[in-house]
Amino acid sequence: MLTQKIVREKFKYINGQLYTVLASGKVAKNYLGQKASGLHRPKAHVDRVAYGLYRIIFLYHHGYMPNHIDHIDGDFMNNRIENLRECTNQQNQLNKKSKPNSSSQYKGVFWNKPRKRWTATGKFEGKKKHLGHFKVEEDAARAYDNYMKQFDSEFIYLNFP
């Protein structure tokens, strides 16, 4: 089982990065994180097991590794401890941006082909709500933001913060 003690013996944390600690006690100059193929998410290897770099950094600082860790700013390459927080799966989903393959650049918005309009939907605690159809994509995104603001959750990603 991976522990904080093991992590602190093997690594040194400096400004959001992990560095290997050599047998001499010095810090290796090379960055430990490796990019996973296709995903570009940094990994750290401990005893031949790959872990998300953010998970190792969280364990390094807090002494435990939760099931879900959220990147506050939504940038999974920003692994500074100040940007990491424990969360539930639902909270983690709320803080995600629009999917890259989505028809819209905005979260909660998609192109409705039959209506030839942008459609906005919001989802919170498993309940999905239709917010309307809009001629302008940004209007649909604002409708999503207005709906989600009522839930007052620090985890909600807004299109226009």
Side-chain angles (χ1 to χ4, degrees):
M1 184 167 116
L2 192 59
T3 65
Q4 184 181 40
K5 182 181 180 205
I6 293 169
V7 168
R8 288 190 172 206
E9 287 172 357
K10 294 185 177 275
F11 307 115
K12 176 101 175 136
Y13 171 86
I14 303 170
N15 296 326
Q17 307 294 333
L18 280 183
Y19 296 88
T20 306
V21 174
L22 303 174
S24 64
K26 293 184 178 180
V27 175
K29 299 233 184 231
N30 64 319
Y31 168 68
L32 179 78
Q34 297 175 358
K35 291 183 178 178
S37 59
L39 297 176
H40 306 292
R41 292 184 185 257
K43 302 278 184 189
H45 292 82
V46 180
D47 299 329
R48 297 184 207 185
V49 178
Y51 297 90
L53 195 57
Y54 65 100
R55 298 184 67 72
I56 298 291
I57 290 171
F58 194 95
L59 175 62
Y60 182 98
H61 283 64
H62 296 291
Y64 70 100
M65 193 182 300
N67 289 333
H68 300 282
I69 300 171
D70 180 50
H71 288 79
I72 296 169
D73 67 1
D75 178 3
F76 57 81
M77 297 299 285
N78 178 1
N79 291 311
R80 294 180 182 274
I81 192 61
E82 302 84 20
N83 190 45
L84 303 176
R85 62 184 168 188
E86 183 175 5
C87 65
T88 65
N89 183 48
Q90 180 183 357
Q91 289 168 329
N92 203 11
Q93 297 306 313
L94 283 172
N95 196 26
K96 286 190 174 181
K97 299 176 183 176
S98 177
K99 295 178 182 175
N101 60 349
S102 174
S103 58
S104 173
Q105 61 182 321
Y106 298 109
K107 186 170 182 180
V109 177
F110 67 93
W111 179 249
N112 188 319
K113 227 179 195 177
R115 292 186 180 262
K116 297 182 180 168
R117 297 276 192 272
W118 293 101
T119 300
T121 59
K123 186 176 180 181
F124 190 79
E125 293 183 348
K127 296 177 184 169
K128 193 172 183 179
K129 179 160 174 80
H130 172 76
L131 303 172
H133 304 288
F134 303 85
K135 288 183 181 180
V136 180
E137 185 181 18
E138 289 79 11
D139 292 344
R142 289 186 203 294
Y144 168 85
D145 282 4
N146 290 335
Y147 174 72
M148 296 306 285
K149 282 178 188 176
Q150 73 178 318
F151 299 111
D152 194 35
S153 171
E154 63 183 309
F155 289 92
I156 293 175
Y157 174 83
L158 298 174
N159 295 305
F160 304 103

